[in-house]
Amino acid sequence: MASTTERILGLLRGLADAFFKPGKTATPTRRAPNAKSGARPASPGSATGLRSPYPGDFNGTSKVLYAPKPDGVPDPGEIVWTWVPYEEDFSQGKDRPVLLVGREGARLLALMLTSKDHSADRRADNDYIDIGPGAWDRQGRPSEVKLDRILQVSPADMRREGAVLDARRFGAVASGLRQRHGWK
C-alpha cells in the first residue's frame, strides 16, 4: 500500500503536469514505484476505463444492504464484474468480480473477490472471508472477499452480473464489515 507521502506526491505531480503542460487536465492519481502493469485498456474518453473519475476508496461507516434482484440492474447482495483500480495507482486496474454490499449516494459500495487463498497469511483472519465457489467464477474456484478495501462503483461501470450471493454467505461478509469497519 502506498504511503501518505507517496499519495501526496502523486497528487502534486498531477497538478504540476496540469499547470506546466498546456491542454492537459489534472487527474489525481496515486503512483508507486512498483505500480502493476497489464492494466486494462482505457475506454473512450477515460484514462481509467471508468465513465467518470474514480472518487477513491470509501472510508467511514455505512449500512450493509442485502437486496439482490437478478434483473440486470446491480443491487447489494450481487456479485458483478467491473473495472477495479489498483491501490497503488488509480489510473490502472483490471476487470474483476466484486460483491456489492451497500450504497453511498449514487454509487454502490463493493468488496473485491479473489480466488487466491489467503488462509496461510497471518492477517487473513481480519482481511479476507471465505465464500466458496459460485457462478461468478467460470472455473468453479473458491473465492474470498477482501474486507480491507471498500470500493465506490458507479452502476454505469458494471460490466455484467455474475451471481447472487446467498443470504448465509452474505451474512458472514456483513459480520466482517461490522466488526472491521463499524458498519450498521
Side-chain angles (χ1 to χ4, degrees):
M1 180 179 235
S3 71
T4 302
T5 303
E6 289 170 325
R7 291 179 197 159
I8 293 170
L9 288 174
L11 289 170
L12 290 173
R13 275 193 293 272
L15 290 171
D17 285 348
F19 288 107
F20 297 111
K21 294 181 184 173
K24 270 191 97 173
T25 58
T27 303
T29 60
R30 297 186 338 185
R31 295 189 186 277
N34 62 349
K36 297 179 183 178
S37 61
R40 177 177 171 248
S43 64
S46 171
T48 62
L50 300 174
R51 292 178 191 222
S52 60
Y54 184 64
D57 294 350
F58 179 78
N59 292 307
T61 59
S62 189
K63 182 179 180 181
V64 181
L65 297 174
Y66 184 75
K69 291 177 241 124
D71 55 4
V73 177
D75 299 299
E78 296 176 12
I79 295 173
V80 299
W81 284 77
T82 190
W83 191 85
V84 175
Y86 293 137
E87 287 182 86
E88 304 87 18
D89 182 354
F90 286 171
S91 71
Q92 297 185 51
K94 67 179 184 176
D95 273 319
R96 65 181 313 134
V98 297
L99 172 62
L100 302 176
V101 294
R103 293 186 185 278
E104 189 66 28
R107 295 191 179 266
L108 290 157
L109 301 177
L111 302 172
M112 293 187 306
L113 270 67
T114 180
S115 58
K116 182 179 176 186
D117 183 12
H118 293 87
S119 58
D121 182 2
R122 286 192 307 222
R123 293 182 52 212
D125 292 341
N126 296 327
D127 291 346
Y128 295 90
I129 292 182
D130 290 318
I131 60 168
W136 56 87
D137 187 296
R138 292 181 179 144
Q139 297 175 358
R141 297 172 293 188
S143 295
E144 295 181 2
V145 174
K146 184 176 181 182
L147 290 175
D148 66 341
R149 182 177 183 208
I150 303 166
L151 305 165
Q152 297 187 79
V153 184
S154 169
D157 291 323
M158 306 288 168
R159 307 273 185 263
R160 64 180 169 87
E161 287 181 289
V164 171
L165 190 64
D166 63 84
R168 181 188 59 79
R169 292 189 284 181
F170 187 88
V173 174
S175 284
L177 278 170
R178 288 180 185 113
Q179 289 173 2
R180 184 177 178 96
H181 299 286
W183 282 31
K184 300 174 190 168

